[in-house]
């Protein structure tokens, strides 16, 4: 399979976005990768609209005193507190679906994809939906902007300060969690700092806190303003000073570029390329838009060895299927269920290190579910999966209420079936003659060099009509290991 | 339409397909039988953070009754095993095993700088990492790696669940999760899957990896299903989730399968409110299922070869809360059940309720000492390869 323009453009769309959209596939043969890149960039440069799904309970009458002033959380009774927790849980679910829908439908594919990358980089769990939403908006706003600005804003967000226990980091009683993760996971990477740097860094971050309105607050009295020795320098450093010193260290550019290379290009890192990217990223003062331009307009990005070699993450898989197959899902629960059983729930990373990615996505259970999803969506076939309970969100309250997808009726009820707009899919291939149809569909769906063998596939194709032919080829090809790759 | 479900496929059809398979796909096809007398571990996870203090109860400790005014278990209700210690009233079979020397109890198990998030603490127990480390593999998964580098035998570690836990994920090898052998078999028996596996020719290594996983799953599903039918357990088990799981495990232990580790969970023990009823209900299920399982193992002469161990991601606070429940805590106890224990009964002292850390128990034993002991002494693999550092082995097996 020689590398034609279409494969290269699809490659760009899978990596810099969430895959080709049904309506746009026809043009991919005729435009250059540079033109497509310009389109991706121009649709994403505008400042994004903020996510506004989670509502502030303070503005809800249920949580106000009779005179209209908000009830302080501390003063709430147990029932009201529980109501708020439930509200946050619903909000987080709605935020998840709203974002997933954006990944599928938004024109700003590049921004959505970069936001998704940084969401895994600045991985954070917050039960407070408002905090989670605020962090999301910080990341989305800065996703193709300046890394330093994003790092500063993230580090001062209540979601992250809370998640990394900086509320407990006080003068004389340091909590090193925040300082450690900022260095280990956000900037330098393991092995590029000493335990002493963490101790001294933690002292500099004392007093970084937030108030009851969820705004950053510097608590001077909790701050240790004594002299600290960080790297080789000594001074009365503040938290901002530490972040500036971390940005001044070229290792930060190196660490970020390596992570981006693994995410956007190839799990197998080409150190020479990363060094080059990092040098320019550092010289460009951490301008992310220049870095991604360096990646997505390079010749090496489009080399065969980088195409079709990455395992799609669960979100990329689900979004990719939905971009190619326009559909109305019976309800949203199934999309959350798929995320859960496949191991990637938006707003719910496993820990501050984010999702491991690569082969870690795959085990016997997840692979078999992945292979069954296209059938599940396109037919009323059954699929047997049940997610594990999660006591962080369910607090042991949901015994017997888990979604059980067993028999067909229950499965349909959980909404994992959909009405797919096959008309639109048929339209993609309307100019393709029947003898070339199989190959055309395969070339549109698969990025891998090797393909599932036609003769094997042929046994499962429905030849009754052109529509059934297309439908059966699409569903079967999507049910192969090759489709898991992008 | 589309991919049709077919009737059961005879073992023979896979043999034909095998002839066309690339070599790496064939390697695992050879069953690796383990002789009877094979030592196995059954890990029983109490999900949600079981309240250890109401499980192994300090029945003469005034602090316990002072801190647990409404939910403390009275001395005359607890099943006394020593003058100072009693078991939860539901755990009658455990009391029986204590009396006949097939139960040991390890108190104060935990790890330094404990984390009180369910997910994170479970992560730490599964990956056997320190609380400031993030490790993407689990201790059982790394045991699989150490046991058999690259020769893919996912049936060596099985989890009774629809999703595979981190504990069973290795670098090169993963365990296999299923709730019911028949369901696993029917999910993977699609002719389409077998056909594409059979016609796959080696291309790019990640794609090959996916095909290898798929092929192993199909083959293991066949293998497990066939094995589970060889010697179906005749013991009566309670009709509960854990009862069914332990019955499946028993049928596999009594077969020729090469499985060394079984993993199963019970929960949720997250008893923030109304603890008494919740914990009792779970312990009733536990007690009846474990009773049937141990009886089964004894009557089949396998009890000496089976080690069951229980754990939970954390214990709970010493003081009860205002809702007749308990909040997240730290150190906890573990049970070891086997006919082959070398040290029986209470292995160490009860928690010191007068010496707390912010209201929580201080751990005295690192859980990785337990893992090292099981990996080294029971499973016969060098624990250092699996756990990294040298964790001292204990004497209970």
């Amino acid at each position: 399979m020689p590398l034609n323009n279409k494969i290269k453009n699809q490659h760009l769309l899978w990596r810099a976005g969430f895959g080709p959209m049904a309506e746009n596939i026809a043009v991919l043969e005729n435009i250059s990768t540079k033109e497509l890149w310009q389109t991706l960039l121009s649709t994403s440069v505008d400042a994004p609209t903020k996510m506004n799904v989670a509502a502030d309970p303070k503005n809800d009458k249920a949580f106000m005193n009779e005179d209209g002033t908000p009830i302080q959380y501390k003063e709430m009774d147990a029932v009201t507190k529980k109501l708020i927790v439930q509200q946050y849980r619903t909000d987080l679910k709605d935020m998840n679906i709203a974002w997933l829908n954006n990944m599928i439908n938004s024109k700003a594919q590049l921004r959505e994809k970069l936001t998704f990358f940084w969401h895994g980089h600045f991985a954070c769990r917050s039960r407070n939906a408002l905090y989670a939403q605020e962090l999301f908006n910080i990341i989305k706003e800065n996703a193709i902007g300046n890394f330093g600005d994003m790092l500063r804003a993230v580090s001062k967000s209540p979601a992250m300060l809370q998640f990394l226990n900086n509320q407990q980091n006080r003068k004389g009683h340091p909590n090193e969690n925040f300082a450690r993760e900022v260095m280990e996971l956000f900037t330098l990477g393991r092995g590029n700092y000493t335990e002493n740097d963490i101790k001294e860094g933690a002292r500099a971050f004392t007093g970084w806190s937030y108030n009851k309105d969820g705004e950053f607050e510097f608590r001077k009295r909790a701050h240790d303003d004594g002299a600290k020795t960080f790297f080789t320098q000594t001074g009365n450093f503040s938290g901002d000073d530490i972040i500036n010193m971390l940005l001044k260290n070229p290792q930060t550019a190196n660490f970020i570029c390596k992570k981006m290379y693994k995410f956007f290009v190839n799990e197998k890192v080409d150190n020479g390329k990363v060094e080059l990217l990092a040098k320019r990223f550092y010289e460009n003062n951490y301008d992310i838009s220049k870095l991604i331009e360096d990646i997505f307009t390079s010749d090496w990005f489009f080399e065969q060895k980088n195409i079709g070699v990455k395992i799609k993450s669960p979100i990329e898989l689900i979004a990719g299927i939905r971009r190619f197959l326009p559909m109305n899902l019976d309800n949203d629960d199934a999309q959350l269920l798929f995320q859960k059983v496949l191991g990637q729930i938006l707003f719910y990373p496993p820990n501050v290190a984010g999702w491991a990615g690569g082969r870690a996505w795959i085990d016997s259970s997840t692979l078999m579910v992945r292979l069954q999803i296209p059938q599940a969506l396109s037919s009323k076939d059954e699929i047997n999966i049940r997610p594990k309970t999660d006591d962080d969100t369910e607090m042991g309250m949901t015994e017997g209420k888990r979604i059980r997808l067993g028999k067909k009726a229950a499965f349909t009820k959980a909404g994992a079936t959909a009405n797919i707009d096959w008309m639109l899919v048929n339209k993609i291939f309307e100019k393709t003659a029947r003898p070339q149809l199989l190959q055309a569909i395969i070339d549109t769906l698969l990025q891998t060099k090797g393909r599932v063998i036609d003769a094997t596939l042929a046994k499962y194709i429905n030849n009754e009509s052109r529509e059934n032919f297309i439908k059966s080829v699409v569903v079967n090809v999507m049910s192969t290991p090759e489709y898991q790759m992008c | 339409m589309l991919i049709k479900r077919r009737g059961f496929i005879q073992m023979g059809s896979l043999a034909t397909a095998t002839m066309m398979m690339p070599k790496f796909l064939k390697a695992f096809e050879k069953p690796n039988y383990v002789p009877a007398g094979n030592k196995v571990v059954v890990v029983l996870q109490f999900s949600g953070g079981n309240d250890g203090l109401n499980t192994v109860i300090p029945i003469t400790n005034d602090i316990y009754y002072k801190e647990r005014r409404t939910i403390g278990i009275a001395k005359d209700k607890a099943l006394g095993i020593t003058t100072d210690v009693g078991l939860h009233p539901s755990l009658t079979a455990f009391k029986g095993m204590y009396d006949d020397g097939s139960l040991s109890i390890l108190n104060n198990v935990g790890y330094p700088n404990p984390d009180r998030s369910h997910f994170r603490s479970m992560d730490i127990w599964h990956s056997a990492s320190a609380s400031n480390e993030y490790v993407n593999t689990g201790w059982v998964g790394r045991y699989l790696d150490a046991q058999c580098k690259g020769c893919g035998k996912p049936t060596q570690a099985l989890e009774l669940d629809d999703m595979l836990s981190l504990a069973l994920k290795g670098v090169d090898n993963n365990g296999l999760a299923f709730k019911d052998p028949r369901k696993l078999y029917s999910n993977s028996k699609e002719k389409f899957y077998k056909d594409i596996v059979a016609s796959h020719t080696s291309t790019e290594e990640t794609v090959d990896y996916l095909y290898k996983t798929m092929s192993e799953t199909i083959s293991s599903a066949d293998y497990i299903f066939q094995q589970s039918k060889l010697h179906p357990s005749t013991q009566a088990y309670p009709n509960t989730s854990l009862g069914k799981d332990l019955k499946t495990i028993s049928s596999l232990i009594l077969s020729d399968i090469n499985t060394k580790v079984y993993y199963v969970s019970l929960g949720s023990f997250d008893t923030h409110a109304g603890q008494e009823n919740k914990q009792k209900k779970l312990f009733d299920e536990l007690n009846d299922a474990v009773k049937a399982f141990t009886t089964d193992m004894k009557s089949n002469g396998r009890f000496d070869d089976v080690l069951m161990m229980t754990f939970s991601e954390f214990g709970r606070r010493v003081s009860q809360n205002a809702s007749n429940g308990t909040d997240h805590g730290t150190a906890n106890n573990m049970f070891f059940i086997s006919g082959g224990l070398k040290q029986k009964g209470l292995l160490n002292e009860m928690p010191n309720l007068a010496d707390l850390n912010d209201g929580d128990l201080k751990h005295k034993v690192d859980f990785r000492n337990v893992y090292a002991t099981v990996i080294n002494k029971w499973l016969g693999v060098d624990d250092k390869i699996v756990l990294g550092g040298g964790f001292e082995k204990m004497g209970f097996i």
Side-chain angles (χ1 to χ4, degrees):
Chain A
M1 186 66 222
L3 284 177
N4 58 33
N5 224 29
K6 183 162 174 270
I7 292 277
K8 286 184 180 175
N9 279 329
Q10 286 173 180
H11 177 53
L12 183 55
L13 286 175
W14 275 113
R15 302 299 182 84
F18 290 92
M21 190 91 169
E23 298 89 307
N24 302 333
I25 283 164
V27 301
L28 297 180
E29 283 173 38
N30 305 320
I31 59 168
S32 70
T33 57
K34 292 252 169 14
E35 285 170 297
L36 181 58
W37 166 251
Q38 282 310 323
T39 311
L40 279 167
L41 198 59
S42 64
T43 45
S44 285
V45 283
D46 292 344
T49 45
K50 286 192 171 179
M51 180 184 276
N52 192 15
V53 173
D56 193 337
K58 281 202 300 290
N59 301 329
D60 191 322
K61 280 211 176 84
F63 308 119
M64 283 178 188
N65 293 312
E66 278 174 22
D67 62 0
T69 55
I71 308 172
Q72 296 303 318
Y73 189 77
K74 277 181 196 160
E75 292 156 11
M76 286 176 190
D77 54 41
V79 179
T80 315
K81 278 184 182 168
K82 208 170 162 188
L83 276 176
I84 291 203
V85 171
Q86 275 167 1
Q87 181 63 48
Y88 283 154
R89 211 174 299 159
T90 312
D91 288 346
L92 281 166
K93 224 167 105 173
D94 293 344
M95 287 159 60
N96 179 314
I97 295 298
W99 188 16
L100 186 58
N101 286 339
N102 262 346
M103 290 172 176
I104 294 155
N105 300 315
S106 167
K107 281 202 167 62
Q109 282 288 295
L110 184 65
R111 186 176 291 278
E112 294 295 341
K113 192 60 177 274
L114 265 297
T115 306
F116 180 55
F117 170 77
W118 295 117
H119 181 73
H121 181 73
F122 292 113
C124 178
R125 284 180 168 209
S126 178
R127 277 192 204 174
N128 183 318
L130 281 175
Y131 292 176
Q133 180 171 265
E134 195 220 340
L135 178 61
F136 173 83
N137 283 329
I138 289 172
I139 287 172
K140 191 169 183 184
E141 195 186 316
N142 292 286
I144 48 179
N146 184 280
F147 174 74
D149 292 347
M150 177 156 49
L151 176 65
R152 287 184 191 95
V154 166
S155 304
K156 288 182 176 174
S157 68
M160 198 58 90
L161 288 167
Q162 182 185 53
F163 186 52
L164 298 179
N165 315 104
N166 211 58
Q167 296 284 73
Q168 286 103 57
N169 186 19
R170 295 188 196 96
K171 181 179 181 176
H173 302 278
N175 183 311
E176 295 170 3
N177 200 17
F178 184 82
R180 181 182 300 277
E181 304 318 351
V182 167
M183 286 182 236
E184 178 182 333
L185 298 165
F186 300 166
T187 57
L188 300 174
R190 219 157 226 248
N192 296 297
Y193 50 85
T194 64
E195 281 300 310
N196 198 53
D197 291 331
I198 289 176
K199 275 204 185 88
E200 298 288 282
R203 290 178 56 211
F205 286 117
T206 48
W208 278 35
S209 189
Y210 56 90
N211 63 22
K212 60 179 168 49
D213 294 322
E215 289 156 350
F216 177 77
E217 195 172 77
F218 177 67
R219 294 188 180 151
K220 208 168 179 314
R221 278 171 52 204
H223 181 68
D224 178 346
D225 56 6
K228 298 130 194 143
T229 303
F230 188 73
F231 293 153
T232 51
Q233 287 168 273
T234 303
N236 296 32
F237 300 130
S238 66
D240 287 309
D241 294 331
I242 299 294
I243 288 185
N244 287 337
M245 284 194 269
L246 290 170
L247 288 167
K248 216 174 155 190
N249 188 332
Q251 171 56 25
T252 294
N254 207 45
F255 180 71
I256 299 297
C257 287
K258 189 168 174 182
K259 193 164 180 180
M260 285 186 115
Y261 189 93
K262 282 174 96 166
F263 186 91
F264 291 104
V265 184
N266 200 322
E267 287 269 333
K268 274 196 205 138
V269 176
D270 180 333
N271 285 318
K273 301 276 187 299
V274 170
E275 264 172 50
L276 227 68
L277 291 171
K279 194 166 170 284
R280 283 176 53 85
F281 190 38
Y282 189 76
E283 284 166 3
N284 288 327
N285 190 29
Y286 293 97
D287 184 333
I288 300 164
S289 69
K290 287 186 179 148
L291 171 62
I292 53 179
E293 179 134 31
D294 281 350
I295 295 173
F296 294 126
T297 60
S298 73
D299 290 338
W300 48 259
F301 174 73
F302 295 98
E303 281 171 12
Q304 177 72 65
K305 66 173 183 193
N306 293 325
I307 297 180
V309 293
K310 278 205 69 209
I311 299 174
K312 290 172 191 167
S313 79
I315 291 294
E316 288 169 326
L317 179 71
I318 297 165
I321 292 174
R322 288 194 53 201
R323 278 174 67 77
F324 185 78
L325 294 179
M327 65 178 76
N328 286 314
L329 277 146
D330 291 356
N331 70 48
D332 289 331
D333 283 354
Q335 303 199 78
L336 296 166
L337 181 73
F338 287 146
Q339 289 178 42
K340 200 164 188 180
V341 294
L342 295 181
Q344 185 174 42
I345 310 172
L346 296 173
F347 294 101
Y348 217 62
N351 52 53
V352 63
W355 291 280
R359 291 189 184 189
W361 293 127
I362 302 299
D363 60 56
S364 295
S365 312
T366 58
L367 182 59
M368 295 320 277
V369 172
R370 279 169 172 252
L371 299 180
Q372 291 177 72
I373 285 179
Q375 298 172 62
L377 291 171
S378 62
S379 69
K380 304 285 177 186
D381 201 356
E382 67 186 70
I383 182 171
N384 294 308
I385 40 175
R386 191 179 60 170
K388 286 185 192 294
T389 47
D390 187 329
D391 287 303
D392 281 325
T393 55
E394 289 154 7
M395 318 263 293
M397 303 300 285
T398 51
E399 285 140 280
K401 276 204 278 177
R402 292 170 232 166
I403 308 166
R404 185 188 280 271
L405 296 189
K407 294 285 167 265
K408 285 181 189 182
F411 178 54
T412 312
K413 212 170 121 200
T417 50
N419 295 313
I420 297 172
D421 185 358
W422 286 102
M423 294 282 282
L424 210 58
V425 181
N426 291 336
K427 222 173 157 220
I428 305 171
F429 302 106
E430 66 185 356
K431 291 195 181 119
T432 311
R434 188 74 174 259
Q436 282 80 49
L437 196 50
L438 178 65
Q439 203 53 50
I441 299 172
I442 291 177
D443 289 345
T444 306
L445 289 176
L446 301 183
Q447 292 296 100
T448 47
K449 195 171 154 200
R451 304 297 175 74
V452 57
I453 290 170
D454 291 358
T456 309
L457 206 53
K459 289 196 267 174
Y460 299 89
I461 293 172
N462 184 321
N463 277 302
E464 282 161 23
S465 63
R466 192 180 162 92
E467 285 72 30
N468 282 346
F469 181 89
I470 293 175
K471 193 171 169 179
S472 60
V473 174
V474 167
V475 172
N476 280 313
V477 171
M478 281 184 168
S479 306
T480 61
E482 284 86 346
Y483 187 72
Q484 311 309 311
M485 310 292 296
C486 72
Chain B
M1 251 315 291
L2 305 178
I3 302 162
K4 282 186 184 137
R5 291 189 177 274
R6 303 283 160 102
F8 276 24
I9 289 159
Q10 297 306 307
M11 289 296 274
S13 69
L14 192 68
T16 329
T18 309
M19 294 167 72
M20 294 177 285
M21 268 185 218
K23 230 187 218 154
F24 74 88
L25 291 179
K26 269 187 203 162
F28 71 92
E29 291 282 347
K30 292 180 211 122
N32 220 308
Y33 292 127
V34 172
N38 170 37
K39 285 201 172 357
V40 302
V41 180
V42 179
V43 181
L44 175 47
Q45 170 177 307
F46 296 155
S47 306
N50 176 44
D51 180 20
L53 278 176
N54 274 16
T55 307
V56 181
I57 307 149
I59 47 176
T60 51
N61 191 320
D62 293 341
I63 304 175
Y64 169 76
Y65 290 106
K66 203 177 111 231
E67 298 296 342
R68 300 264 172 121
R69 284 195 187 279
T70 62
I71 64 161
I73 294 172
K75 188 177 175 180
D76 59 339
K77 294 255 174 61
L79 308 170
I81 52 172
T82 69
T83 46
D84 295 324
V85 182
L87 296 178
H88 186 282
S90 292
L91 301 178
T92 51
F94 286 70
K95 155 91 167 119
M97 289 187 288
Y98 179 89
D99 292 340
D100 72 20
S102 50
L103 173 78
S104 54
I105 300 165
L106 185 63
N107 292 303
N108 312 311
V109 191
Y111 54 89
N113 303 314
D115 199 296
R116 288 168 188 78
S117 141
H118 291 285
F119 199 98
R120 181 64 195 137
S121 195
M122 197 57 100
D123 226 31
I124 292 164
W125 274 85
H126 279 210
S127 61
S129 62
S131 68
N132 61 5
E133 277 180 329
Y134 301 94
V135 175
N136 303 319
T137 55
W139 68 283
V140 178
R142 294 198 301 274
Y143 155 76
L144 291 177
D145 286 342
Q147 168 79 349
C148 174
K149 195 101 190 153
C151 73
K153 283 180 293 178
T155 52
Q156 286 207 324
L158 300 178
E159 178 169 12
L160 279 286
D161 199 291
D162 283 336
M163 287 167 73
L164 189 71
S165 291
L166 175 64
L168 286 87
K169 294 181 185 173
V171 178
D172 299 312
N173 296 282
N174 287 324
L176 194 131
F178 61 91
K179 194 66 186 157
D180 167 12
R182 186 177 293 274
K183 218 165 89 176
L184 169 73
Y185 178 71
S186 71
N187 273 351
S188 64
K189 77 177 195 301
E190 294 282 5
K191 189 154 185 319
F192 177 71
Y193 298 154
K194 292 191 174 180
D195 269 1
I196 58 172
V197 166
S199 66
H200 175 71
T201 46
S202 183
T203 49
E204 191 272 325
E205 64 173 299
T206 312
V207 178
D208 288 349
Y209 172 77
L210 297 182
Y211 270 102
K212 179 169 165 279
T213 305
M214 194 173 166
S215 173
E216 283 173 2
T217 307
I218 296 170
S219 163
S220 301
D222 277 342
Y223 178 47
I224 291 167
F225 183 54
Q226 302 305 332
Q227 290 291 325
S228 72
K229 292 191 301 185
L230 276 184
H231 302 282
S233 170
T234 51
Q235 171 73 37
Y237 278 80
N239 188 27
T240 56
S241 175
L242 185 64
K244 286 179 204 155
D245 290 347
L246 290 183
K247 186 171 186 176
T248 303
I249 291 175
S250 158
S251 298
L252 289 170
I253 290 175
L254 300 179
S255 78
D256 294 326
I257 202 165
N258 63 357
T259 309
K260 299 287 288 178
V261 182
Y262 296 92
Y263 211 95
V264 60
S265 307
L266 177 68
S268 164
F269 285 91
D270 200 20
T271 49
H272 288 281
Q275 172 167 308
E276 196 180 336
N277 284 336
K278 274 188 191 165
Q279 199 185 29
K280 181 184 182 303
K281 207 168 144 243
L282 289 163
F283 276 172
D284 285 341
E285 180 176 349
L286 171 74
N287 190 68
D288 296 349
V290 169
K291 188 178 178 183
F293 179 73
T294 50
T295 308
D296 201 2
M297 291 298 107
K298 277 180 201 161
S299 60
N300 283 286
R302 296 301 302 275
F303 195 39
D304 289 0
D305 303 326
V306 177
L307 171 69
M308 178 181 267
M309 78 179 198
T310 70
F311 82 96
S312 198
E313 68 267 38
F314 43 62
R316 306 189 78 86
R317 306 218 92 190
V318 176
S319 296
Q320 68 174 82
N321 63 21
S323 323
N324 293 321
T326 47
D327 297 324
H328 300 180
T330 52
N332 207 346
N333 41 45
M334 296 176 80
F335 288 128
F336 303 102
I337 298 165
S338 174
L341 295 174
K342 289 208 171 136
Q343 287 171 355
K344 296 151 193 189
L346 288 164
L347 298 177
N348 59 355
E349 74 283 9
M350 289 290 283
N352 182 350
L353 303 187
D355 179 26
L356 300 178
N357 196 350
D358 251 349
D360 278 319
L361 302 176
K362 290 181 178 169
H363 87 280
K364 299 280 164 59
V365 182
D366 193 303
F367 71 99
R368 288 166 293 185
N369 291 111
V370 175
Y371 288 178
T373 308
V374 171
I375 291 165
N376 188 300
K377 291 188 169 178
W378 198 261
L379 297 172
V381 164
D382 184 359
D383 53 287
K384 282 188 208 76
I385 305 176
V386 180
L387 300 173
F391 291 95
E392 217 168 290
K393 265 72 81 184
M394 309 174 69
F396 61 91
I397 43 175

